Amino acid sequence: VDVKVENAGAAINSQYDDKTPCITADGKRLVFTSRRPETTDAPMDVEGDGGFFEDIYIATWDTTNRKWNEADPVPGSVNTIAHDAVLSISPDGKQIFIYLNDANGDSRGGDIYVSKVSGTKWKTPEPMGKPINSSYWEGGACISPDGKTIYFVSDNPKYGKDKNQGQFTSDIWMVEKISKTEWGKPVNLGADVNSPYNEQGIFLAPDGKTLFFCSNRPESMGDFDIFKTTKVNGKWTKPVNLGYPINSAYKDGPFVVSADPTVGYFSSERK
């Protein structure tokens, strides 16, 4: 496809894993997950792969020089001494959805949390609770521009099994708000969008009808690829692979765009 792909640069990227970019609708704030050491004595995940723990970083757009200012850890009470990973930022920039896996708490499968901004600092993340979170893995979430619908990812066994691999795979679901504090019953986006493989890394564009996600379905070029589906007359269209050079033989995604859809941001394991 006719696009130019370039590295986001040293203000954003590091020599460590930098992934899951999330952008506000105005394109002025970029939030992402990084495994860089936050301090010189940062703890390491000795029980895991021995790398540094994930933390959430934020960068602001310099409108004068038209470039990203250097990213810093999200201010406030979001990052902990364990893994903290961002899933999305709301279009208005007031909420960050976060993935946490507290083995000693209620999120043994991994759950979705939300942190709200107060002034310039972010509050301690709170679990989304039922019906979105379950005792299984929930690892993706984004909210519609009007704040009335949340799209999320789960591998709860009742959501389907991969007939090829014999294991439970992740699907995309949606849930609508029924009151100020309550959400309705989750609805699967269906076989037109979900496959027998893994769907994850979701992002709803500011237009409220274009959904980007990652999948390792057979239509991908190798590992996970980025796909797009659009809501037309209340139904989601058949997902389309975004094509090369956005996708590659490596793991690509998640993918996000601002309200001006001429520029997108995505993470990739390409060289």
Side-chain angles (χ1 to χ4, degrees):
V1 291
D2 186 19
V3 298
K4 180 182 179 182
V5 175
E6 52 189 11
N7 191 293
I12 303 295
N13 290 315
S14 68
Q15 67 186 76
Y16 302 92
D17 276 347
D18 304 293
K19 56 189 180 182
T20 318
C22 309
I23 198 166
T24 50
D26 62 9
K28 301 293 176 59
R29 279 167 289 177
L30 179 71
V31 181
F32 61 97
T33 302
S34 181
R35 293 198 71 176
R36 69 189 70 179
E38 199 171 327
T39 58
T40 53
D41 58 348
M44 303 184 86
D45 185 7
V46 292
E47 294 182 1
D49 59 9
F52 292 104
F53 285 101
E54 294 175 328
D55 276 324
I56 301 171
Y57 282 70
I58 188 168
T60 56
W61 181 253
D62 182 341
T63 53
T64 303
N65 297 305
R66 298 198 58 79
K67 66 176 185 178
W68 289 105
N69 293 315
E70 190 166 338
D72 291 309
V74 169
S77 306
V78 171
N79 290 322
T80 67
I81 59 171
H83 285 294
D84 306 284
V86 68
L87 299 173
S88 69
I89 186 168
S90 59
D92 61 10
K94 295 181 179 179
Q95 298 180 86
I96 292 178
F97 293 91
I98 296 165
Y99 170 78
L100 293 175
N101 189 347
D102 179 9
N104 299 314
D106 297 326
S107 56
R108 277 165 286 194
D111 275 349
I112 300 163
Y113 286 65
V114 62
S115 171
K116 298 180 179 179
V117 71
S118 177
T120 59
K121 295 190 175 181
W122 293 86
K123 297 179 181 179
T124 301
E126 297 182 354
M128 290 296 297
K130 295 180 179 179
I132 295 173
N133 289 328
S134 70
S135 59
Y136 294 89
W137 180 82
E138 279 76 43
C142 60
I143 194 166
S144 60
D146 62 9
K148 295 180 179 179
T149 307
I150 283 181
Y151 296 84
F152 70 99
V153 174
S154 178
D155 70 352
N156 193 315
K158 69 180 181 182
Y159 299 163
K161 180 182 283 191
D162 184 338
K163 63 184 179 182
N164 297 307
Q165 301 177 37
Q167 63 188 28
F168 297 115
T169 59
S170 50
D171 269 1
I172 304 170
W173 287 66
M174 62 170 282
V175 60
E176 295 185 335
K177 206 164 198 176
I178 55 175
S179 73
K180 193 172 182 180
T181 57
E182 287 183 297
W183 295 91
K185 185 178 179 181
V187 177
N188 190 292
L189 259 59
D192 288 339
V193 175
N194 291 311
S195 72
Y197 296 82
N198 285 299
E199 279 72 47
Q200 51 191 245
I202 54 175
F203 169 76
L204 185 70
D207 65 7
K209 60 183 181 182
T210 306
L211 184 71
F212 297 96
F213 64 94
C214 309
S215 179
N216 60 346
R217 62 180 65 195
E219 298 95 322
S220 69
M221 298 181 189
D223 204 314
F224 278 85
D225 269 7
I226 304 159
F227 291 80
K228 179 185 81 168
T229 177
T230 307
K231 200 170 192 178
V232 179
N233 297 326
K235 288 191 67 177
W236 293 99
T237 60
K238 180 178 172 62
V240 177
N241 186 305
L242 287 195
Y244 176 85
I246 298 175
N247 287 316
S248 69
Y250 297 90
K251 186 175 182 179
D252 302 297
F255 176 92
V256 300
V257 292
S258 59
D260 170 14
T262 60
V263 179
Y265 296 86
F266 68 102
S267 49
S268 177
E269 293 184 353
R270 69 189 65 191
K271 296 177 182 179

